[in-house]
Amino acid sequence: MATTAHLFEEPFDADEYIERLAWRTPGGGSKGGAEAFDPKRLLEEFQNHIEELKQLDEKIQRKVEKLEHQCHREAKEFAHKVQDLQRSNQIKEAADIIQKLHLIAQELPFDRFADVKAKIASKYHDLERQLIQEFTAAQRRGEIGRMREVAAVLLHFKGYAHCVDVYIKQCQEGAYMRNDVFEDTAVLCQRVNKQVGEVFSSPETVMAKLIQNIFENKLQAHVKEKLDETRHSDVEQYLKNLYDLYTRTTGLATKLTEFNLGSDKHTFLSKLIKSIFSSYLESYIDMEREYLRTRGAMILQRYYDSKNHQKRPVGAGSIQDLKERIRQRTNLPLGPSIDTHGETFLSPELVVNLLQETRHAFERCHRLSDPSDLPKNAFSIFLLLVDHLCVEHIDYALEIGLSAIPSPDAKNANLYFLDVVQQANSIFHLFDKQFNDQLMPLISSSPKLAECLHKKKEVIEQMEVKLDTGIDRTLNCMVGQMKHILATEQKKTDFRPEDENNVMIQYTTACSKVCAYVSRQVEHVRKSMDGKNVDTVLTELGIRFHRLIHEHLQQYSYSSMGGMLAICDVAEYRRCAKDFRVPLVLQLFDTLHALCNLLVVAPDNLKQVCSGEQLTNLDRNLLHAFVQLRVDYRSARLGRHFS
């Protein structure tokens, strides 16, 4: 039979236990059985069982001793806890008594109860100090319950505020271990917010005081250190730091609004932010403008230095400038134009740099400006962009481009002004995009909007005047180049061949070269312009092209075969005119082609041809002038058909 403790549970009968043990032992039964009674075997079984009982007794004794020790320890701990609770209650009772005595003492006359008042005050301050020490110790041990009890007692003491200060100081210990004061602050406030509700009766006041302490000490010191080290040495980095620090501070404030900080937490946090940044924000826009002014001038100068170009004074009032302006606006030969060797003096890289600097400035302006000053500050940044990009770069390039346009009678002229037009338009599109995307949101609901739009319109109009002048003079140069080709290549014998029978019917060399030149210029215009400007410029070029050919054809007299050659030339000019894709230009050459038929038709058919659909509405003198170009005009007395 296995020996276990449960065999001895009450009620226990020793005789029954021994009898049961003997009965279970083979040969040990007292009443006989299958086996004969064996006393030795029974004795041996009893001896073994006695040893087991001894071992069980030792085991149970050890367990008893362990339980007794545990009970003794728990009793001791319980006694300590009771003592602590009693002591805690005596403190609370003493605090209640001394608090009441202190209030009563305030009413006692000083001259009669000076000693009593002094003793009460001393006891009051001693107890107050003990309570704060107890709170501090409990906070270090993390005993939230004890902190809550002591804080409740201190609530009626003058030192309660000091208790809160101690709590705020201690909860920040070890909180700023990382290199990110903003992230550390957010984590700290999140942790403390969970705790103050368990400790203090007015947790929102404690949280507000904690946040105020962090802003006025930790954050303010961090901001001052970061900004003061670059304020006078690196303005660009200073502005970047100011933007970053202000952005992160306001972002932190937004996170903190999720906590209960009192009735007007937004105003509270705004004042804290202002207390840190007000001295920096007051001078922000002046530093921003000065930085942009200096940075823009440096970007411009670096570009012109890379081109080994010394900027020419524009509008300086000298005789040379006056001559240049007259030459730009007229075709008077006042001296040779400058040679820029095809350089447009417009730089996409420069433009990107200027726009990027301005974009950063607009972003900083939006974030750092007082809302009432935002439109005014944004407008001042816009004016600097206008000055650097539109005046000092685009307008200057247009002035140089105008000065480089050759006179109309120049030979093999490089008409690169269209390249200036193309680049200027591309740049202005970027300028316009930034105006709409970044400036407009900052001024759209302020009186500055009208001022900005007026300034932009003024800039556009000034550019358009120069672009129109340059394009007009470029078109004159193109026509001058065509005129030079015709004067050089067109022979009188082209339209009065010596051998009328051996002329191949094809267009002349002069016509071929003019058409090739015109086709190149049409393509150049298409690449340089966009939108309706393409049709406008090509229309003007087509009209001038037609006028030139019309006047050119009237310089010659035509034999029958020469007239056919003229018709072939005009047909080729007409084919070239199709490249313009301008109905008016094609119509002009259709009419010119019909006029050239007057050079070859039989005299008797002239009246019929003049009454045709394309010529019937033309002036009779114009028709007569073309008929007079025929070599047979006098001999055939063709004038009678126009009498």
Short mmCIF file of all heavy atoms in Angstrom, two decimals, residues 34 43-44 55 74 79 122 134 153 156 193 200 246 381 398 441 444-445 530 551 575 604 607 617 627:
data_model
loop_
_atom_site.label_atom_id
_atom_site.label_comp_id
_atom_site.label_asym_id
_atom_site.label_seq_id
_atom_site.Cartn_x
_atom_site.Cartn_y
_atom_site.Cartn_z
N ALA A 34 -5.85 -18.22 1.39
CA ALA A 34 -5.22 -19.11 0.41
C ALA A 34 -3.81 -19.46 0.82
O ALA A 34 -3.30 -20.53 0.54
CB ALA A 34 -5.26 -18.46 -0.97
N LEU A 43 6.30 -9.14 9.53
CA LEU A 43 7.22 -8.28 10.26
C LEU A 43 8.03 -7.42 9.28
O LEU A 43 8.24 -6.21 9.50
CB LEU A 43 8.14 -9.15 11.12
CG LEU A 43 9.23 -8.38 11.89
CD1 LEU A 43 8.60 -7.40 12.88
CD2 LEU A 43 10.14 -9.36 12.66
N GLU A 44 8.52 -8.07 8.25
CA GLU A 44 9.32 -7.34 7.25
C GLU A 44 8.50 -6.21 6.60
O GLU A 44 8.98 -5.10 6.40
CB GLU A 44 9.80 -8.33 6.18
CG GLU A 44 10.69 -7.67 5.13
CD GLU A 44 11.12 -8.67 4.06
OE1 GLU A 44 10.91 -9.90 4.25
OE2 GLU A 44 11.65 -8.23 3.03
N GLN A 55 9.98 8.72 6.48
CA GLN A 55 10.30 9.62 5.34
C GLN A 55 9.15 10.59 5.07
O GLN A 55 9.36 11.78 4.81
CB GLN A 55 10.59 8.79 4.09
CG GLN A 55 11.85 7.97 4.19
CD GLN A 55 12.06 7.08 2.98
OE1 GLN A 55 11.31 7.15 2.00
NE2 GLN A 55 13.06 6.20 3.06
N GLU A 74 4.74 36.92 5.53
CA GLU A 74 3.55 37.65 5.12
C GLU A 74 2.94 38.43 6.27
O GLU A 74 2.45 39.55 6.10
CB GLU A 74 2.52 36.70 4.53
CG GLU A 74 2.95 36.15 3.17
CD GLU A 74 1.92 35.19 2.60
OE1 GLU A 74 0.93 34.89 3.32
OE2 GLU A 74 2.11 34.74 1.45
N ALA A 79 2.10 43.51 8.72
CA ALA A 79 2.26 44.41 9.87
C ALA A 79 2.86 45.74 9.43
O ALA A 79 2.43 46.81 9.87
CB ALA A 79 3.14 43.74 10.94
N SER A 122 5.93 77.08 11.57
CA SER A 122 7.08 76.17 11.46
C SER A 122 6.60 74.74 11.25
O SER A 122 7.13 74.01 10.39
CB SER A 122 7.92 76.27 12.74
OG SER A 122 8.97 75.33 12.71
N GLU A 134 7.94 62.93 0.61
CA GLU A 134 7.25 61.65 0.47
C GLU A 134 6.73 61.47 -0.96
O GLU A 134 6.82 60.40 -1.54
CB GLU A 134 6.11 61.56 1.47
CG GLU A 134 5.27 60.31 1.36
CD GLU A 134 6.06 59.03 1.63
OE1 GLU A 134 7.11 59.10 2.30
OE2 GLU A 134 5.63 57.97 1.17
N VAL A 153 -3.47 65.23 -0.08
CA VAL A 153 -3.23 65.93 1.18
C VAL A 153 -2.63 67.32 0.91
O VAL A 153 -3.02 68.32 1.50
CB VAL A 153 -2.28 65.12 2.09
CG1 VAL A 153 -1.91 65.91 3.34
CG2 VAL A 153 -2.95 63.80 2.48
N HIS A 156 -4.38 71.16 -0.27
CA HIS A 156 -4.84 72.29 0.54
C HIS A 156 -3.68 73.09 1.12
O HIS A 156 -3.91 74.02 1.89
CB HIS A 156 -5.73 71.79 1.67
CG HIS A 156 -6.90 70.99 1.18
ND1 HIS A 156 -7.95 71.56 0.48
CD2 HIS A 156 -7.18 69.65 1.26
CE1 HIS A 156 -8.83 70.63 0.17
NE2 HIS A 156 -8.39 69.46 0.63
N ASN A 193 0.48 61.99 -19.74
CA ASN A 193 -0.97 62.22 -19.81
C ASN A 193 -1.74 61.04 -19.23
O ASN A 193 -2.82 61.21 -18.66
CB ASN A 193 -1.39 62.48 -21.26
CG ASN A 193 -2.85 62.84 -21.38
OD1 ASN A 193 -3.30 63.84 -20.86
ND2 ASN A 193 -3.60 61.98 -22.06
N PHE A 200 -3.37 63.36 -9.93
CA PHE A 200 -3.81 64.70 -9.56
C PHE A 200 -5.31 64.89 -9.79
O PHE A 200 -5.90 64.28 -10.70
CB PHE A 200 -3.04 65.75 -10.37
CG PHE A 200 -1.56 65.73 -10.11
CD1 PHE A 200 -0.70 65.07 -10.99
CD2 PHE A 200 -1.02 66.36 -8.99
CE1 PHE A 200 0.66 65.05 -10.76
CE2 PHE A 200 0.35 66.33 -8.76
CZ PHE A 200 1.19 65.67 -9.64
N TYR A 246 10.12 75.95 -36.88
CA TYR A 246 8.77 76.46 -36.69
C TYR A 246 7.72 75.44 -37.13
O TYR A 246 6.71 75.23 -36.47
CB TYR A 246 8.59 77.77 -37.48
CG TYR A 246 7.29 78.48 -37.18
CD1 TYR A 246 7.17 79.29 -36.06
CD2 TYR A 246 6.18 78.33 -38.00
CE1 TYR A 246 5.98 79.94 -35.76
CE2 TYR A 246 4.99 78.98 -37.72
CZ TYR A 246 4.89 79.78 -36.60
OH TYR A 246 3.71 80.41 -36.31
N ILE A 381 8.13 89.29 -52.32
CA ILE A 381 8.94 88.20 -52.90
C ILE A 381 8.71 88.13 -54.41
O ILE A 381 9.65 87.95 -55.20
CB ILE A 381 8.59 86.86 -52.22
CG1 ILE A 381 9.07 86.87 -50.76
CG2 ILE A 381 9.21 85.68 -52.97
CD1 ILE A 381 8.62 85.67 -49.95
N LEU A 398 16.11 90.01 -74.38
CA LEU A 398 15.36 90.59 -75.50
C LEU A 398 16.05 91.84 -76.04
O LEU A 398 16.11 92.06 -77.25
CB LEU A 398 13.93 90.92 -75.05
CG LEU A 398 13.04 89.73 -74.70
CD1 LEU A 398 11.68 90.21 -74.22
CD2 LEU A 398 12.86 88.81 -75.90
N PRO A 441 -2.48 81.45 -54.26
CA PRO A 441 -3.14 81.03 -53.01
C PRO A 441 -2.82 81.93 -51.82
O PRO A 441 -3.61 81.99 -50.88
CB PRO A 441 -2.56 79.61 -52.79
CG PRO A 441 -2.15 79.15 -54.14
CD PRO A 441 -1.65 80.38 -54.85
N SER A 444 -4.94 85.53 -52.96
CA SER A 444 -6.19 85.50 -53.72
C SER A 444 -7.35 86.21 -53.03
O SER A 444 -8.24 86.72 -53.69
CB SER A 444 -6.59 84.04 -54.01
OG SER A 444 -6.72 83.32 -52.80
N SER A 445 -7.34 86.27 -51.71
CA SER A 445 -8.45 86.91 -51.02
C SER A 445 -8.03 88.21 -50.33
O SER A 445 -8.55 88.57 -49.30
CB SER A 445 -9.04 85.95 -49.98
OG SER A 445 -8.03 85.44 -49.14
N ASP A 530 4.17 79.27 -80.33
CA ASP A 530 3.17 78.31 -79.89
C ASP A 530 1.79 78.93 -79.99
O ASP A 530 1.63 80.14 -80.06
CB ASP A 530 3.44 77.83 -78.46
CG ASP A 530 3.48 78.98 -77.47
OD1 ASP A 530 3.16 80.12 -77.85
OD2 ASP A 530 3.86 78.75 -76.31
N GLU A 551 5.60 92.38 -106.32
CA GLU A 551 6.38 93.53 -106.79
C GLU A 551 7.54 93.09 -107.66
O GLU A 551 7.91 93.77 -108.63
CB GLU A 551 6.88 94.32 -105.59
CG GLU A 551 5.77 95.00 -104.79
CD GLU A 551 6.27 95.64 -103.51
OE1 GLU A 551 7.48 95.46 -103.18
OE2 GLU A 551 5.47 96.31 -102.83
N ARG A 575 2.84 76.56 -104.12
CA ARG A 575 3.05 75.29 -103.40
C ARG A 575 3.79 75.55 -102.08
O ARG A 575 3.47 74.95 -101.04
CB ARG A 575 3.87 74.34 -104.28
CG ARG A 575 4.02 72.93 -103.69
CD ARG A 575 5.15 72.17 -104.33
NE ARG A 575 6.42 72.83 -104.12
CZ ARG A 575 7.10 72.80 -102.98
NH1 ARG A 575 6.60 72.17 -101.93
NH2 ARG A 575 8.25 73.42 -102.86
N ASP A 604 -7.44 88.21 -127.58
CA ASP A 604 -8.90 88.22 -127.65
C ASP A 604 -9.56 87.60 -126.41
O ASP A 604 -10.75 87.79 -126.18
CB ASP A 604 -9.35 87.45 -128.90
CG ASP A 604 -8.95 88.18 -130.19
OD1 ASP A 604 -8.69 89.41 -130.09
OD2 ASP A 604 -8.86 87.52 -131.22
N LYS A 607 -10.29 89.80 -121.97
CA LYS A 607 -11.48 90.29 -121.27
C LYS A 607 -12.19 89.14 -120.54
O LYS A 607 -12.67 89.31 -119.42
CB LYS A 607 -12.42 90.95 -122.28
CG LYS A 607 -13.61 91.64 -121.60
CD LYS A 607 -14.41 92.48 -122.57
CE LYS A 607 -13.60 93.71 -123.01
NZ LYS A 607 -14.43 94.66 -123.81
N ASN A 617 -12.98 90.81 -109.14
CA ASN A 617 -13.11 91.82 -108.09
C ASN A 617 -11.85 92.67 -107.90
O ASN A 617 -11.82 93.53 -107.02
CB ASN A 617 -13.45 91.15 -106.75
CG ASN A 617 -14.83 90.51 -106.77
OD1 ASN A 617 -15.76 91.04 -107.38
ND2 ASN A 617 -14.96 89.36 -106.12
N VAL A 627 -0.97 93.32 -117.61
CA VAL A 627 -1.03 93.16 -119.07
C VAL A 627 0.09 93.97 -119.73
O VAL A 627 0.68 93.54 -120.73
CB VAL A 627 -2.41 93.60 -119.60
CG1 VAL A 627 -2.43 93.60 -121.12
CG2 VAL A 627 -3.50 92.65 -119.06
#
